[in-house]
Amino acid sequence: MRLMGRRAFALWAGCAALLASFAAPISAAEPFKIGLILPMSGPFASTGKEIEAAVKVFQKTYGDSVAGRKVEVILKDDGGLQPDMTKRLAQELVTKDHVQVLAGFGLTPLAMAAAPVASQAKVPMVVMAAATSIIPTKSPYIVRTGFTLPQVTAPLADWVLAHKEQKINRVITLVTDYGPGIDAEKVFVKRFSAGGGTIVESLRAPLQNPDFAPFLQRIKDAKPDAVFIFVPSGVGTSVMKQVAERGLVKAGIRVIATGDLTDDNEMENIGASAQGVITSFHYSAVHDSPENKAYVAEMAKLGLRANFHSVGGYDGMHLIYEALKKTGGDADGDKLLAAMKGTSWTSVRGPVSIDPETRDIVQNVYLRRVENVKGLWSNVEFDKVEKFKDPGV
Ligand code: PHB
């Protein structure tokens, strides 16, 4: 003060006040940052690539700014199976990059690892892919735009029970041994048994480097009417190849599954070996709507057949944009979260909404059959359960 002199200080303070009065609009125009954590490498890289492309398609279609703010997406690769890495990346994105939303999360253990970071930083965490039922209970800041395994499994069990002409009475379940697989197994077993079906056996294959051959041989020997399968996206091709090699279908054993097995982006490789497989799921690349046709065409320009994980990403972006519109560009985590709850829209998969209590997505679940449509192996929808909530395990 002595160095500056009273008058000079008053002038300085005045200038500072003037600058501060400009600061509000300047900061409002600062970019809004989304930290997107995805498996871009490793065995589940297809999930990362699909979601990355969907985010690009979204910003190409709807623009890269909303509510007067440019939306900047910072993409990080967590490699797919290292929860500690996902957590560290989430922490860095929040503390160093100052992201206002965390998004992505390709697998359940990765979403679980990042949940405490979202709670501590009070930033919304948009789970676009990971699908174990309990994930949103791990932080009040989690909102899910993908799906849950109980949500897509229950309608399949109900459909099989209601269609006696399918003659599927004795079933063996085969799932990948971690969160979503265990959810799928439990829900299928509970629902199918309660409705009078028989579960012959429940088998679980490891998540890392699975060899399905011994499981499939065991199933062939047990001769059930059908095998119910859950494997995470990225594994379907190898399972279906081994199903064909073992001759399960020729032995009269039907394959029923959640749509993860007949992932649209793997159908070209899976091909005829999956013909007639019945699955239940929330998204098919051949879902018949103008919104979906436009989306699939845009994804194709990026060299990808749109799959369900991509749609979780596309809708995650939609939810973030809508929330920002509602807050008028205010990035406060609690305000964004409040704005996300209860949002509904027409997705490329059909009508969806965010349950304000559970922060999980409510959506149609479709029954589908693998068929060749104009040269493309596809999951053709033939029935649906409307606006279905996660029933839990
Ligand atoms: C998951 O880890 O939660 C997960 C991953 C891929 C799927 C489904 C669930 O296809």
Side-chain angles (χ1 to χ4, degrees):
M1 180 69 83
R2 226 187 282 145
L3 279 175
M4 216 187 241
R6 261 168 205 272
R7 258 212 222 136
F9 177 75
L11 191 65
W12 177 85
C15 285
L18 194 65
L19 273 179
S21 72
F22 284 118
I26 287 169
S27 74
E30 270 174 16
F32 177 86
K33 292 186 190 171
I34 301 172
L36 184 64
I37 309 176
L38 293 170
M40 299 303 298
S41 55
F44 301 100
S46 62
T47 298
K49 302 216 164 103
E50 284 273 343
I51 296 178
E52 180 196 26
V55 169
K56 284 192 182 142
V57 168
F58 185 89
Q59 291 203 304
K60 183 183 164 201
T61 309
Y62 295 100
D64 62 0
S65 64
V66 63
R69 299 187 67 163
K70 190 151 167 50
V71 179
E72 198 183 300
V73 178
I74 304 174
L75 175 62
K76 301 280 179 188
D77 173 15
D78 64 10
L81 277 178
Q82 304 159 75
D84 292 345
M85 163 91 102
T86 310
K87 185 172 187 183
R88 184 173 59 71
L89 290 171
Q91 271 160 344
E92 282 175 13
L93 282 164
V94 165
T95 56
K96 294 198 185 130
D97 297 299
H98 304 291
V99 301
Q100 288 120 338
V101 166
L102 288 167
F105 308 103
L107 286 98
T108 290
L110 312 176
M112 301 285 232
V117 179
S119 298
Q120 211 172 19
K122 297 187 188 302
V123 297
M125 172 171 156
V126 179
V127 175
M128 296 168 158
T132 300
S133 178
I134 59 165
I135 289 172
T137 68
K138 296 296 168 189
S139 167
Y141 287 87
I142 291 178
V143 179
R144 175 156 40 197
T145 55
F147 71 111
T148 85
L149 262 304
Q151 185 176 45
V152 294
T153 301
L156 179 62
D158 293 352
W159 184 85
V160 171
L161 288 165
H163 289 79
K164 299 287 178 224
E165 80 285 357
Q166 298 288 324
K167 298 197 169 60
I168 300 177
N169 301 310
R170 297 172 65 254
V171 174
I172 291 183
T173 61
L174 171 61
V175 302
T176 300
D177 189 7
Y178 78 123
I182 294 165
D183 271 13
E185 177 198 287
K186 283 190 176 162
V187 170
F188 192 89
V189 167
K190 191 165 93 183
R191 215 106 172 172
F192 193 62
S193 314
T198 301
I199 300 293
V200 178
E201 199 172 2
S202 288
L203 305 172
R204 297 179 181 176
L207 176 60
Q208 306 222 37
N209 309 313
D211 175 12
F212 292 98
F215 295 104
L216 296 172
Q217 187 58 47
R218 194 180 167 107
I219 293 164
K220 195 177 172 195
D221 294 342
K223 297 191 178 63
D225 300 322
V227 53
F228 164 78
I229 300 179
F230 163 80
V231 288
S233 178
V235 183
T237 306
S238 84
V239 176
M240 287 312 296
K241 213 166 244 158
Q242 292 180 57
V243 165
E245 277 165 16
R246 300 264 143 193
L248 255 69
V249 178
K250 280 195 201 114
I253 302 167
R254 303 271 304 274
V255 176
I256 55 174
T258 60
D260 312 76
L261 178 69
T262 57
D263 189 337
D264 288 312
N265 80 5
E266 289 182 72
M267 283 312 290
E268 203 183 323
N269 296 327
I270 293 175
S273 68
Q275 183 162 21
V277 168
I278 302 270
T279 61
S280 53
F281 225 33
H282 55 295
Y283 178 71
S284 164
V286 295
H287 176 69
D288 191 11
S289 75
E291 293 86 1
N292 189 48
K293 286 198 173 106
Y295 174 66
V296 169
E298 286 300 325
M299 287 291 284
K301 286 182 197 163
L302 298 181
L304 290 173
R305 189 168 192 208
N307 82 348
F308 62 107
H309 281 325
S310 81
V311 173
Y314 194 68
D315 283 338
M317 289 299 287
H318 178 96
L319 184 63
I320 295 165
Y321 270 49
E322 283 306 299
L324 266 172
K325 272 187 215 162
K326 285 189 200 164
T327 66
D330 188 337
D332 175 78
D334 288 297
K335 288 184 188 157
L336 284 177
L337 192 74
M340 287 177 180
K341 291 179 185 176
T343 300
S344 60
W345 69 100
T346 302
S347 161
V348 297
R349 59 184 120 172
V352 298
S353 65
I354 300 298
D355 184 319
E357 263 84 56
T358 62
R359 291 164 276 108
D360 231 329
I361 191 155
V362 183
Q363 58 190 332
N364 293 349
V365 177
Y366 305 88
L367 274 303
R368 312 103 46 88
R369 188 176 288 109
V370 174
E371 287 171 24
N372 194 298
V373 182
K374 294 182 198 143
L376 268 186
W377 287 99
S378 302
N379 291 290
V380 178
E381 297 167 354
F382 63 86
D383 201 353
K384 69 179 166 197
V385 180
E386 285 186 61
K387 299 188 177 170
F388 194 59
K389 282 189 191 190
D390 172 50
V393 179

